[in-house]
Amino acid sequence: MPETNKGTPCPNEASRAPCRRSSWPRQPSWVDKGTLLRIPVGARNRAGKPQVKAAGLVGIDDFTFTGRGDQVLAALNGPNKVVLIRPDGTSATLLDAADGLQGPTSVAVHGNDVAVLSAAYNSATDPNLLRAHLRRGHL
């Protein structure tokens, strides 16, 4: 499972706004700020050219890989949903308020099990931990 660093400044970001990064040795790194970027690691561990993998996903608070290639699950706090981001950049909502989300702030995958922490920052009602089962890109 990749290591996740939260709240660190985005590289080359004038506003120095927090972003999320996941990385592992000699593998691509990923960053987000509404846009999910893949930064390949090249020869001598030098960063390659960043590639936009998904855009327009405002409110990404956390993300993790599903274990199925470059598929990503992202917790979108403001929009109050968890989305699946496919390798081609398209996305689909998998969980939302109807499923019990209250401002999701973290998402984790272990095998086919998904855990989503909702902090309920906006509603101040019912912070919770939602558990779901991932099957072929569906919860």
Side-chain angles (χ1 to χ4, degrees), residues 81-99:
K81 57 186 176 180
V82 170
V83 297
L84 173 73
I85 302 170
R86 299 178 193 92
D88 67 1
T90 60
S91 64
T93 299
L94 299 182
L95 297 168
D96 58 21
D99 300 299

Side-chain angles (χ1 to χ4, degrees), residues 42-108:
R44 295 194 256 183
N45 291 325
R46 293 183 187 249
K49 183 178 179 181
Q51 305 160 354
V52 174
K53 298 308 273 185
L57 297 169
V58 177
I60 296 176
D61 202 5
D62 191 26
F63 66 91
T64 191
F65 297 90
T66 66
R68 295 161 176 89
D70 284 348
Q71 278 188 343
V72 172
L73 286 180
L76 280 60
N77 190 328
N80 198 31
K81 57 186 176 180
V82 170
V83 297
L84 173 73
I85 302 170
R86 299 178 193 92
D88 67 1
T90 60
S91 64
T93 299
L94 299 182
L95 297 168
D96 58 21
D99 300 299
L101 292 184
Q102 289 286 334
T105 55
S106 284
V107 61

Side-chain angles (χ1 to χ4, degrees), residues 30-31 69:
W30 297 71
V31 296

